Amino acid sequence: MIGLGTAINMALIIGGSLLGLAFGRFMKENLKQTLMVVSGIIVLLLGMSGAMQFMLVIVNGSLQTTGPLLMIISMVVGAIIGELIDLNRWITVFGDWVKARTGNTGDPTFTHAFITASLTFTVGAMGVLGSIQDGLTGDYQTLLLKGILDGVIVMVMSSSMGKGALFSFIPVGITQWLITAMAHVAAPLMTQTAIDNLSYVGSILIFCVGVDLIWPGKIRIANLLPAIFIAMGLTFLI
């Protein structure tokens, strides 16, 4: 069944969030703050490992870096575009809308938790690649694996950040179902090099999410999102 992978991914995010919220009720504030930092460390390491996988290569027995130009152009140009559009403001508006619609207007942490969790689960390559596989062949294995990872991470996030993390299933569902629906259009563009570039820059953005979890408000991560599309576009130019 095409689209099943995204449905499973969303269900695992909801399930992980509900478990985290259930445990969070019995946690002291100090423990919640510690889990917030733990969430940041987990996301930092996920982003760092993903970026290093594509940035470091062994050439003639020595460790060297590759792709710095791609990274620099993508991040700088993406940041300029993002700041001009101010994607962070639009995503914040959407988060506030979800907060109001779900009856959580009294929760001061809702929007930040919603945005943080949503970015964590949407900027990686697994969602894009898995959605294309699901749309073309109905193979949902990649999205199942992603869903398991998302469920574990969101359980920690929701226990420390609250209900906002739960509703990250909405942008995940919208994004992945759109890619699944357009799989026949997107598939020819997703060459191995394009996937690698997406993974490389996407992992850097995931690293930034981890930084924001530990030191909130330091990075407007949503304004860096265009960097992913710049990296994919550079695949056909460099």
Side-chain angles (χ1 to χ4, degrees):
M1 175 181 172
I2 292 176
L4 179 61
T6 295
I8 293 173
N9 195 164
M10 294 168 67
L12 288 170
I13 289 175
I14 293 171
S17 298
L18 292 176
L19 284 174
L21 290 170
F23 287 123
R25 294 177 183 176
F26 305 101
M27 293 179 184
K28 294 182 178 179
E29 193 60 34
N30 286 345
L31 179 55
K32 289 185 178 181
Q33 291 176 0
T34 300
L35 284 177
M36 176 82 80
V37 175
V38 168
S39 298
I41 293 171
I42 292 170
V43 177
L44 273 173
L45 291 175
L46 287 173
M48 187 184 301
S49 62
M52 291 300 101
Q53 178 182 352
F54 297 98
M55 193 172 189
L56 299 179
V57 295
I58 297 177
V59 179
N60 297 325
S62 63
L63 191 63
Q64 298 183 17
T65 59
T66 184
L69 182 61
L70 170 79
M71 181 264 291
I72 293 169
I73 295 174
S74 299
M75 294 299 291
V76 171
V77 176
I80 292 171
I81 295 173
E83 287 291 340
L84 289 174
I85 302 173
D86 200 0
L87 289 173
N88 200 75
R89 181 173 69 87
W90 290 108
I91 291 179
T92 300
V93 168
F94 180 61
D96 288 338
W97 180 82
V98 173
K99 179 170 71 171
R101 287 289 181 173
T102 55
N104 291 287
T105 51
D107 184 353
T109 64
F110 183 96
T111 301
H112 180 256
F114 171 77
I115 293 173
T116 301
S118 298
L119 291 173
T120 301
F121 305 140
T122 56
V123 300
M126 287 184 74
V128 176
L129 182 59
S131 298
I132 291 175
Q133 291 173 339
D134 193 6
L136 290 177
T137 66
D139 180 3
Y140 59 84
Q141 295 302 312
T142 300
L143 290 182
L144 173 61
L145 176 58
K146 176 182 179 292
I148 293 172
L149 293 172
D150 292 351
V152 172
I153 295 171
V154 81
M155 181 170 62
V156 180
M157 284 185 172
S158 59
S159 65
S160 58
M161 302 174 72
K163 290 182 181 178
L166 163 63
F167 291 94
S168 62
F169 78 87
I170 296 174
V172 169
I174 293 172
T175 302
Q176 292 182 185
W177 266 326
L178 279 174
I179 296 172
T180 297
M182 297 187 300
H184 288 280
V185 177
L189 302 176
M190 296 305 294
T191 64
Q192 187 58 52
T193 303
I195 293 171
D196 288 348
N197 290 346
L198 169 63
S199 301
Y200 182 12
V201 176
S203 294
I204 294 173
L205 297 191
I206 291 174
F207 178 87
C208 292
V209 173
V211 172
D212 189 65
L213 276 168
I214 300 175
W215 298 283
K218 298 296 183 183
I219 306 174
R220 290 188 289 271
I221 302 160
N223 286 353
L224 301 179
L225 284 175
I228 297 176
F229 302 101
I230 298 298
M232 293 180 62
L234 289 175
T235 302
F236 306 99
L237 298 176
I238 298 179

